[in-house]
């Protein structure tokens, strides 16, 4: 049976790696730079704009949010990397939490790695995708804020963005606008297909 994304509620907010919830269900993780649109996409998938706080200020969130979707999966909203204004101590705390999360053998089913469709991938994006490939963690690439470009500029930019990765990309690539709800249903369908394949 398909997961009903609209049936998503906040489950736990984690500030410290020692307080992660019981790893009792598959986790779908939102990763990507601060301000790329992780919280907005989570809200769009759940069709609930009040679910997680969308921030105009990059780097505000230094917590991991676990959402219970349909009592079947956790959606995990990681803090974003690359916020210039955070102090060194905050950055260390951040990477401790993200590295910690990836380092403790969570039941990660899928990572949605988000990148702003308008910008070339950064070093952190390359590091992340290389890491996921090496660890054999399944991931989808999701280009966000598609509404900010015309469709021809978007196609050209995405081709360019993808060429920045040296790893073979036989990975599903999506292009979404959480603002205009474009590409969101397609992503729900593909995530469901993925989860269904995984559990048969
Ligand atoms: N135009 C546009 N803006 C977006 C979209 N998604 C997010 N944003 C904006 O980008 C900013 C950061 O979004 P947020 O979801 O908080 O990013 P996060 O830091 O990755 O969780 C906010 O000002 C959002 O309104 C989108 O699809 N289109
Ligand atoms: Mg966020």
């Amino acid at each position: 049976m398909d997961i009903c994304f609209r049936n998503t509620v906040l489950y736990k907010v984690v500030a410290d790696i020692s307080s992660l919830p019981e790893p009792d269900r598959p986790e779908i993780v939102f990763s990507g730079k601060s301000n790329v649109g992780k919280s907005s996409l989570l809200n769009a998938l759940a069709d609930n704009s009040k679910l997680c706080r969308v921030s105009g200020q990059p780097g505000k969130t230094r917590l991991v949010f676990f959402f219970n979707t349909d009592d079947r999966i956790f959606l995990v909203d990681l803090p974003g990397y690359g916020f210039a204004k955070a102090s060194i101590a905050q950055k260390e705390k951040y990477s401790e939490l993200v590295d910690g999360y990836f380092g403790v053998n969570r039941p990660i089913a899928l990572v949605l790695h988000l990148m702003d469709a308008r910008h070339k991938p950064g070093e952190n994006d390359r590091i992340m995708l290389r890491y996921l490939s090496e660890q054999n963690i399944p991931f989808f690439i999701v280009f966000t804020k598609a509404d900010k470009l015309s469709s021809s500029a978007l196609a050209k930019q995405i081709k360019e963005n993808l060429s920045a990765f040296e790893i073979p990309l036989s990975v599903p690539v999506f292009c979404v606008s959480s603002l205009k709800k474009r590409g969101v249903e397609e992503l729900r369908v593909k995530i469901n297909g993925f989860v269904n394949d995984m559990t048969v």
Side-chain angles (χ1 to χ4, degrees), residues 56-116:
Q57 287 168 280
K60 269 267 170 187
T61 339
R62 275 175 283 279
L63 301 162
V64 182
F65 291 79
F66 284 81
F67 296 90
N68 172 14
T69 299
D70 227 11
D71 277 333
R72 288 175 58 196
I73 55 166
F74 282 138
L75 297 180
V76 184
D77 190 11
L78 290 180
Y81 47 71
F83 34 86
K85 283 189 189 148
S87 69
I88 301 281
Q90 283 170 327
K91 282 183 186 167
E92 276 174 6
K93 185 76 192 155
Y94 156 76
S95 78
E96 206 180 286
L97 199 53
V98 174
D99 291 354
Y101 172 79
F102 280 103
V104 289
N105 238 337
R106 300 294 300 180
I108 302 172
L110 179 66
V111 173
L112 304 178
H113 186 75
L114 277 59
M115 291 177 279
D116 190 318

Side-chain angles (χ1 to χ4, degrees), residues 42-191:
L42 211 149
N43 286 350
L45 285 169
D47 203 12
N48 178 356
S49 61
K50 299 211 168 68
L51 192 62
C52 37
R53 202 166 148 266
V54 168
S55 176
Q57 287 168 280
K60 269 267 170 187
T61 339
R62 275 175 283 279
L63 301 162
V64 182
F65 291 79
F66 284 81
F67 296 90
N68 172 14
T69 299
D70 227 11
D71 277 333
R72 288 175 58 196
I73 55 166
F74 282 138
L75 297 180
V76 184
D77 190 11
L78 290 180
Y81 47 71
F83 34 86
K85 283 189 189 148
S87 69
I88 301 281
Q90 283 170 327
K91 282 183 186 167
E92 276 174 6
K93 185 76 192 155
Y94 156 76
S95 78
E96 206 180 286
L97 199 53
V98 174
D99 291 354
Y101 172 79
F102 280 103
V104 289
N105 238 337
R106 300 294 300 180
I108 302 172
L110 179 66
V111 173
L112 304 178
H113 186 75
L114 277 59
M115 291 177 279
D116 190 318
R118 294 168 297 171
H119 307 304
K120 279 209 154 147
E123 185 55 21
N124 282 319
D125 296 308
R126 282 198 290 274
I127 290 171
M128 185 56 130
L129 296 200
R130 202 180 305 131
Y131 172 81
L132 296 172
S133 308
E134 283 168 7
Q135 300 294 314
N136 287 317
I137 300 170
F139 62 95
F140 292 172
I141 289 176
V142 182
F143 289 109
T144 61
K145 308 194 185 183
D147 56 278
K148 298 231 185 193
L149 292 173
S150 71
S151 54
S152 58
L154 187 65
K156 186 168 170 274
Q157 189 64 46
I158 283 176
K159 218 173 141 191
E160 252 178 67
N161 293 352
L162 288 173
S163 68
F165 297 105
E166 65 267 35
I167 52 169
L169 282 177
S170 53
V171 170
V173 176
F174 299 86
C175 204
V176 301
S177 165
S178 301
L179 188 70
K180 306 273 185 199
K181 308 276 181 285
R182 261 163 47 198
V184 176
E185 179 57 18
E186 190 194 346
L187 189 56
R188 284 191 199 106
V189 169
K190 288 290 160 57
I191 294 172

Side-chain angles (χ1 to χ4, degrees), residues 22-43:
E22 277 299 298
D24 61 1
R25 66 198 83 180
E27 295 177 359
I28 297 177
V29 184
F30 292 70
S31 84
K33 203 170 156 172
S34 177
N35 215 39
V36 73
K38 295 180 294 299
S39 303
S40 300
L41 181 60
L42 211 149
N43 286 350

